[in-house]
Amino acid sequence: MKRMPMWGNRAAKYIVISGLLISGYVHLDIVPFHFSHMPAHGIFFGVLGVFQLFAIFLFWLRPHRFVVMWLIFSITGGMVLLWGVTQMDFTPFTRSAEPIDSPTIITKLAEIIAFIASIFHFGRLVPKHILKGLALSVVTGIGTLALGYMAEYFAGGPPKDPHGFPLANGHGGTVHSHGIYDNYYTDDYSWNDVFKSLKGYLTPQPKSSYVWNLPTGFPEPRVPAENPMTEEKVKLGRYLFYDKRLSGNGTVSCSSCHFQSKAFTDGKVLPEGSTGMVHPRNSLSLTNSAYSSTLTWANPSLENLEKQILIPMFGEFPVELGIVGKEEEVRNRFRNDTLYKRLFAQAFPEKDRYHFTNFAKALASFTRTIISGSSRYDRYVYKKDSTALNDKELRGMQLFFSEKLECHHCHGGFNFTLSTVHKNTVFIERPFHNTGLFDLDGRGAYPDNNTGIMEITGNPNDMGKFRAPTLRNIELTAPYMHDGSMSSLDEVIDFYKRGGRSITKGEFKGDGKESPLKSGFVSGFELSDSEKEELIAFLKTLTDEEFIQNKELSNPF
Amino acid sequence: MFIGCSEENEVILNFEGEINGKPLSCDQWYSGFDINGATAIQLKDFRFFISDLRLINSKGQEVPVALEQDSTWQFKNIALLDLENGTGECSEKGNMAMNTAVRGKIKNDRYTGIVFKMGIPFEWNHVDNAAVPSPLNVGAMFWNWQSGYKFARFDLVTDKPDREKFWFIHLGSTGCVSEIMGAGPESPCSKTNIPEIRIENFDVSSDIITVDLGTLLKDIQVGTCMSGTDNQFCSDLFPRFGLSLETGDCMDGCANQQLFRKKTHEAYANVGK
């Protein structure tokens, strides 16, 4: 055998060893994190790490062996290739939201450098084998992939849960997740869990072109199958949301009643539509409406934003955007606009794309991104930052979650309303409550223009039942209640403390406290003035400054 | 998968709700009560969690049933029983779906009794309920991280005057202490409040469990009880679950609980008629 100059070979050898050392240890380092959300993923990295470290000894002892060369190639170049393929959009391995984080960058760099050095090393050592070596590395890569495909084939196709939610397309966003095969805060895995998650790891993942950017602890919203999220629709929706040309007479846009600075409410008791007609209901905050199991203040059948958005667009009683009768005119404003030509073409590839259903789809997609979860409360609860709330606020939090006040029976869960649905919800809850705001006739009557879901269901027992809205950003969304009849949180808490509102004069005279239709959860409670202050201080920790300043939700014009 | 199918048997444990001899329903008034000023009640909600279901073999050993993982009603060793159908008074918090059985598999053997718990084991009781699968993500059954789930939720309307007509019976752990609120407690709650129900001479293939709100409430002072230790109604009600309100543990092995019983054979005689 021809002996090559020592310096070159030795350098190559050390580079290979260092590369393997780095990637091996990094892979071992990330094992616990991956094991905790999906055992098979952790085991994969563990085995890989051990292999990469073990290979160093083989390489050290037998640097001339062909089989060692094959091993080194496959755990350096082969791994980069495997990783590359899992990142590519056209392969069945692609996951949405696989982050390229620092361990990824470090290991891939170390592996690729070690791979190049190993070609150099083995090539110098056995020049006639250099082509064979390259060929082998390709074969190794193909072999690794083939193994993956075979595993998928024998595992019987992509596993799905019985409700058709795609596997491994988990909680979305930049959160690394394997969906239903994630492990949930426990360490009692059985081998069955490991097999199942291994199967999930090796099988094709559904692709989603949309990456949710969700706050920590937030589940992925449920999106109707007929309107999957895309960046393009969100972008178009954002322009439409802020565009006054969407109203019949061109005077108002969605944003006229939903200001970002007020958590997408308008600060008025009752809003006015494009023609000046007053809406009987207070502008609802759009905060986290992606998670609302029903939309608007009181409609049990209105379950998605696509349907809901048609109401402000086409509603006549009251007129909001007021498009009715001006459909063609409104559509043409967008059809003939250079900016919207581009935005619509990107969002809706079909030829005939200026349907109002597409307007609604784009607006719904944008509205689903109006997500708030970066308040101080979230820092305290989800980021485990115990300094985020002060003692007074913590005492308020204790009161909020106490059985004495019972706030959480209606305003519970991550979104501070039980009227919440997300991707993994099986049983959708659509609660509505009569909180005793009115009792006009001793039988619980509410004012005629605002009877709650009775208006929809026709059931007299549904009189005065409204949906409990989220309390997130509640500090910014005054005035309160469906009719905007309470101006401050102070007033709202006094009302719940009393267990109903007494109106002593005027057309709405009556004591809601005594209403036979009032929810059993609004029974009143004792609360001192200082406790009230603590409760309000807690509610204010739900204000999300990042959210109201989020550029992606702001006016694009 | 390495165990032959013949060695495992399917287990379906059926539950049947009852009040004073009548089947449970959300649309009906149940009379014949004389408790705390009420003579009749109506259901508003009726859901509870069952966990750690075991069958007792002829040697007296308790053999765990592996629950079917359906991502709907059952998760790990926990099952949600839902005897309300979301109609009538149940529409405020309830839903249409119902579940009256626990399904699973067990090693083939002769079994003569059953044991189960009404509640959620500590390690699953204080999770982030937005991040766990169904049935643990049902919002109406969750308090918060610190207190965990409502193991049982029996919401009632009575014929008392409007202001006192609602009775909420929520069973769950109390005395749960977390370092920070909004995170689960590190150590188990001081009062677990999970009754363990044992029924001997029970053949799971043919017998049914009656869940009887009538016997639970009979002749005691009842009102809203959300498991608070200082609640006067809880002190009457807890022994009916077999529990001590003071310790949160079973008294005499929960043997005196009045909620669950094997359905009597006289009742069977009427089935199918």
Side-chain angles (χ1 to χ4, degrees), chain A residues 161-163 171 180 183-186 188 193 195-196 217 219 377 380-382 384-386 394-395 397-398 401 403 406 408-410 413-414 418 422 424-434 462 465 513-521 523, chain B residues 1-2 44 47 69-73 75-76 80 82 88 91-95 97 123-124 127-135 137-147 150 153 155 162-163 165-166 168 170 179-184 224 226:
Chain A
D161 83 8
H163 302 282
H171 304 151
I180 60 163
N183 273 278
Y184 302 92
Y185 312 125
T186 177
D188 68 336
D193 291 332
F195 285 131
K196 268 201 298 189
Y377 166 82
Y380 180 80
V381 166
Y382 293 105
K384 310 290 176 212
D385 174 2
S386 58
L394 287 172
R395 285 194 299 274
M397 181 170 170
Q398 196 106 50
F401 287 109
E403 285 298 348
E406 309 199 69
H408 62 285
H409 281 296
C410 302
F414 74 95
L418 280 196
H422 56 81
N424 299 323
T425 312
V426 177
F427 304 108
I428 302 176
E429 296 165 82
R430 302 181 186 89
F432 294 93
H433 310 278
N434 177 321
D462 288 339
K465 281 188 181 173
K513 186 179 178 178
E514 305 298 333
S515 165
L517 299 176
K518 192 184 73 173
S519 166
F521 291 103
S523 48
Chain B
M1 81 177 92
F2 302 108
K44 211 170 152 51
R47 285 181 269 185
Q69 299 298 296
D70 63 7
S71 309
T72 303
W73 295 109
F75 177 69
K76 299 280 174 180
L80 175 65
D82 182 343
S91 63
E92 188 177 354
K93 293 283 179 196
N95 53 37
E123 61 267 35
W124 289 102
V127 293
D128 175 358
N129 85 322
V132 283
S134 190
N137 63 17
V138 174
M141 295 302 286
F142 194 62
W143 268 318
N144 55 51
W145 281 333
Q146 199 175 343
S147 310
K150 298 168 186 131
R153 172 171 194 147
D155 293 0
D162 286 335
R163 288 181 57 188
K165 70 180 176 185
F166 296 109
F168 299 107
H170 295 172
E179 191 76 5
I180 70 166
M181 249 184 300
T224 289
M226 295 188 180

Side-chain angles (χ1 to χ4, degrees), chain B residues 212-216 239-242 255-261:
Chain B
D212 196 335
L213 205 54
T215 50
L216 183 81
R240 292 294 173 93
F241 287 120
N256 296 320
Q257 61 84 21
Q258 300 293 319
L259 182 61
F260 299 99
R261 66 166 184 270

Side-chain angles (χ1 to χ4, degrees), chain A residues 30-94:
Chain A
I30 61 175
V31 166
F33 161 70
H34 284 280
F35 195 84
S36 69
H37 75 265
M38 192 170 105
H41 209 166
I43 289 171
F44 175 82
F45 284 126
V47 170
L48 178 59
V50 168
F51 238 78
Q52 286 177 328
L53 295 177
F54 179 64
I56 295 170
F57 291 97
L58 291 179
F59 182 60
W60 194 267
L61 296 172
R62 297 276 186 273
H64 307 179
R65 286 286 171 83
F66 208 76
V67 62
V68 175
M69 178 172 84
W70 183 86
L71 175 70
I72 300 286
F73 280 171
S74 55
I75 60 172
T76 56
M79 283 307 130
V80 177
L81 192 67
L82 178 66
W83 170 81
V85 169
T86 62
Q87 296 295 311
M88 275 181 247
D89 216 27
F90 57 85
T91 67
F93 292 101
T94 315

Side-chain angles (χ1 to χ4, degrees), chain A residues 36 85 93 107 111 146 177 192 210 264 279 296 300 302 330 342 350 356 388 397 415 434 440 497 548:
Chain A
S36 69
V85 169
F93 292 101
T107 55
E111 282 164 359
S177 163
N192 199 24
Y210 188 78
F264 295 91
H279 199 299
T296 73
L302 205 52
V330 171
R342 185 162 55 80
E350 66 261 28
F356 279 118
M397 181 170 170
N415 198 28
N434 177 321
L440 305 188
K497 178 180 170 185
I548 56 170

